[in-house]
Amino acid sequence: EYKKRLSALSENGRGMNTTTSSGLAVVHIINKCDHMAEWDEEEWDELNKKHIIKGFGKPFAISAEHSIGFNPMRNLIEALNFRSQKLKSMEDGLIRMAIVGRANVGKSTLFNQLIGENRVLVSETPGTSRDSIELFAEFRSNPGTEDEEIRRVLLVDTAGLRKNKDLKHDHIEQEANQEAMRAMRYANVVVIVVDASEGLQRKDMNILRTLEKHGRSVVLALNKWDMVKDPARTAQQFEDTIDKTMKVLAGLPMVVLSAKHATNVPMLMEKVVESYDRWNTKVPITKLNQFLKQFLASRTHVPSSWPTIKYITQIATRPPTFALFFKGASVLPEAFEKQIRNALREEFDLHGLPIRIKARRYEPQQE
C-alpha cells in the first residue's frame, strides 16, 4: 500500500508538488540494507537508480534489524519538524515553551502547577521523568488591564539533564537527554529551572551557552526560593554571575518562585510572554537610523584603524538580528561589535536576548 501511494504521488513528476500542497513531508526509506557497510560505489548507484522516486530524491538506506543508517534519516526528520514547527508557531502566535534543567530541581512540580493538574509524576529521585510531555494551555497576559489578552502556549516538560559521565552506560537516559536537547532547540522560550538554594552550577551555565548559541529566548526560574536563607544576597549573586560570565545575555529575566507552594508561578508566565514578545521585536528603520547617529556621535577616542559605519538595518527576528554596513577596514573589530550590541540591548529593551550582528562590507551602489 505504501509503495502504491508513493507511486501515485510520483506520477508525472507530481510527487514534490503534492507533498507541498498537502503540507506533508515524505521521507523515502529502503529497509533491509543489512550489509551496506560493505557496499562499493557501484552498488550504491544501483540502489539509488533502482529505488529513486521522481520528486522525492534519493532514498535513505537503513537496516532496522541491526540499527544501521538511522542518523542521516533522523537528522533530516528533525530538520523538517523544526521548520514545520517554526512556521506554524509564527503563523498562529503559539508560544512553544520548554521547561529544562538539571535533575531534581522541580521541573515537573512547576509543570503541574502551570497546568493545574498532577499529570507528571513527581519524586525526589533524580531521573523520574524520562519522557518529554507536551500540553497546550492558555494564559491571561496583563490580567485586569486594558492590554489583557489570551496567549496560547505549548508547554513542554523535559527529563532532567545530567552529566555526560552519568549517561555513559545508560542508553535510556541518553535518549532522554537528547530529547530534552531537541525540545530546547525547537522552543521559542526556554525556562531554565535551577535550585536557588544551590546556586548556578556548571551544567546550568552549559545550558545557557547552548541556548545562546541557538538563539533561544530564556527565562531563569529560581525554584525552591522558600529554602533560601538570605534572599537579597542570593538574588544579587545570581545577577552578578550571569552578567560576568554570560555578558551576551546581560539582563536575563529571572523569577524567584516555589513550585511546591505555587509562589510567583503567574509571574513566571508574565516573564515568558514578555521575553517571547521581545524575541520577536522588529525595530522600525527610522528608529534604527536615529539610534546609530546618536551612538556614533557619543563615541570618543575612536582608533583610526576602525572602520566607518554607514548604516544599520534589522534583517531578522527570533532572535533580533541586525546587519551593520561598514567601509575602510577588512573586518569589523570585535570590541566595536560588543559596544553596539550592548547599546542596542539598552535602547530597545532587548535584555536577556541573544542579539546577532552581521557585519557586511558597504558598497557605494547600496546608497
Side-chain angles (χ1 to χ4, degrees):
E1 179 63 25
Y2 171 72
K3 290 182 179 179
K4 289 179 181 178
R5 293 182 68 182
L6 279 182
S7 297
L9 287 174
S10 62
E11 285 179 3
N12 300 321
R14 293 201 305 268
M16 186 61 69
N17 292 333
T18 304
T19 304
T20 303
S21 63
S22 65
L24 298 176
V26 176
V27 179
H28 186 195
I29 301 167
I30 304 298
N31 192 23
K32 299 187 178 181
C33 300
D34 302 341
H35 304 289
M36 61 181 175
E38 304 170 5
W39 292 353
D40 56 24
E41 188 173 343
E42 291 184 1
E43 289 174 302
W44 278 106
D45 288 341
E46 182 181 351
L47 174 82
N48 290 329
K49 290 177 182 178
K50 183 178 179 181
H51 294 284
I52 194 168
I53 296 178
K54 192 172 182 180
F56 292 95
K58 297 179 181 179
F60 283 95
I62 68 167
S63 171
E65 182 178 357
H66 301 288
S67 300
I68 300 173
F70 278 83
N71 283 339
M73 178 186 69
R74 186 181 291 114
N75 291 338
L76 174 62
I77 292 173
E78 286 184 6
L80 290 171
N81 181 56
F82 175 70
R83 183 180 65 179
S84 173
Q85 294 291 353
K86 183 176 181 180
L87 291 173
K88 185 178 186 302
S89 63
M90 289 177 68
E91 290 171 358
D92 60 16
L94 176 70
I95 302 175
R96 292 181 59 87
M97 168 184 158
I99 302 174
V100 305
R102 294 179 291 113
N104 206 32
V105 294
K107 298 183 303 299
S108 295
T109 304
L110 176 60
F111 184 82
N112 288 337
Q113 291 287 2
L114 289 169
I115 64 175
E117 301 178 34
N118 291 322
R119 292 203 180 191
V120 183
L121 180 62
V122 178
S123 169
E124 292 297 326
T125 305
T128 301
S129 302
R130 286 185 168 179
D131 297 320
S132 293
I133 298 175
E134 298 185 356
L135 283 175
F136 286 96
E138 292 185 344
F139 293 91
R140 292 186 182 276
S141 177
N142 302 310
T145 69
E146 294 181 355
D147 298 325
E148 179 176 330
E149 61 178 329
I150 301 296
R151 304 299 291 263
R152 298 178 62 248
V153 180
L154 175 62
L155 296 169
V156 184
D157 181 40
T158 64
L161 292 165
R162 305 175 71 179
K163 297 179 181 178
N164 291 334
K165 66 178 182 180
D166 297 333
L167 304 173
K168 192 172 183 180
H169 303 293
D170 192 330
H171 296 296
I172 296 178
E173 287 290 350
Q174 288 177 10
E175 182 60 34
N177 220 57
Q178 292 173 4
E179 189 171 346
M181 296 298 291
R182 285 194 290 269
M184 287 195 292
R185 292 199 301 270
Y186 297 158
N188 304 137
V189 182
V190 178
V191 174
I192 303 179
V193 184
V194 301
D195 186 335
S197 63
E198 296 179 351
L200 283 170
Q201 304 295 307
R202 179 179 296 180
K203 187 65 178 179
D204 301 321
M205 299 305 296
N206 288 339
I207 295 172
L208 275 171
R209 292 187 183 94
T210 298
L211 294 173
E212 193 282 329
K213 177 182 177 181
H214 290 287
R216 302 301 92 186
S217 176
V218 182
V219 176
L220 198 60
L222 309 183
N223 192 27
K224 304 185 182 182
W225 196 252
D226 52 307
M227 299 174 61
V228 172
K229 296 180 179 179
D230 190 341
R233 181 182 178 186
T234 302
Q236 190 61 51
Q237 287 176 339
F238 274 103
E239 291 181 10
D240 292 344
T241 300
I242 295 296
D243 291 345
K244 290 178 181 178
T245 61
M246 290 290 294
K247 293 182 179 180
V248 291
L249 294 178
L252 182 73
M254 303 182 192
V255 179
V256 299
L257 57 86
S258 170
K260 183 177 180 180
H261 301 291
T263 306
N264 276 357
V265 173
M267 184 182 294
L268 173 66
M269 291 310 302
E270 288 294 330
K271 290 295 183 182
V272 166
V273 171
E274 290 175 9
S275 185
Y276 174 80
D277 289 342
R278 288 202 306 273
W279 191 56
N280 285 276
T281 295
K282 178 64 177 177
V283 182
I285 187 65
T286 53
K287 289 188 176 182
L288 274 177
N289 287 331
Q290 293 172 1
F291 156 79
L292 183 61
K293 184 178 180 180
Q294 294 172 359
F295 172 77
L296 295 176
S298 66
R299 296 167 65 243
T300 58
H301 308 295
V302 179
S304 58
S305 59
W306 280 26
T308 300
I309 306 301
K310 299 300 293 184
Y311 67 94
I312 186 173
T313 185
Q314 186 172 358
I315 58 176
T317 60
R318 308 162 70 94
T321 304
F322 302 88
L324 194 64
F325 291 84
F326 69 96
K327 70 174 185 177
S330 57
V331 295
L332 189 68
E334 184 178 347
F336 180 85
E337 189 174 319
K338 289 181 179 179
Q339 290 176 13
I340 198 163
R341 182 185 291 110
N342 292 335
L344 284 166
R345 181 180 294 112
E346 293 296 330
E347 180 69 20
F348 301 111
D349 190 21
L350 302 176
H351 297 92
L353 294 177
I355 301 172
R356 303 286 190 252
I357 302 293
K358 304 293 185 181
R360 296 181 177 177
R361 296 283 300 174
Y362 169 77
E363 301 295 340
Q365 61 266 28
Q366 291 172 339
E367 288 188 320

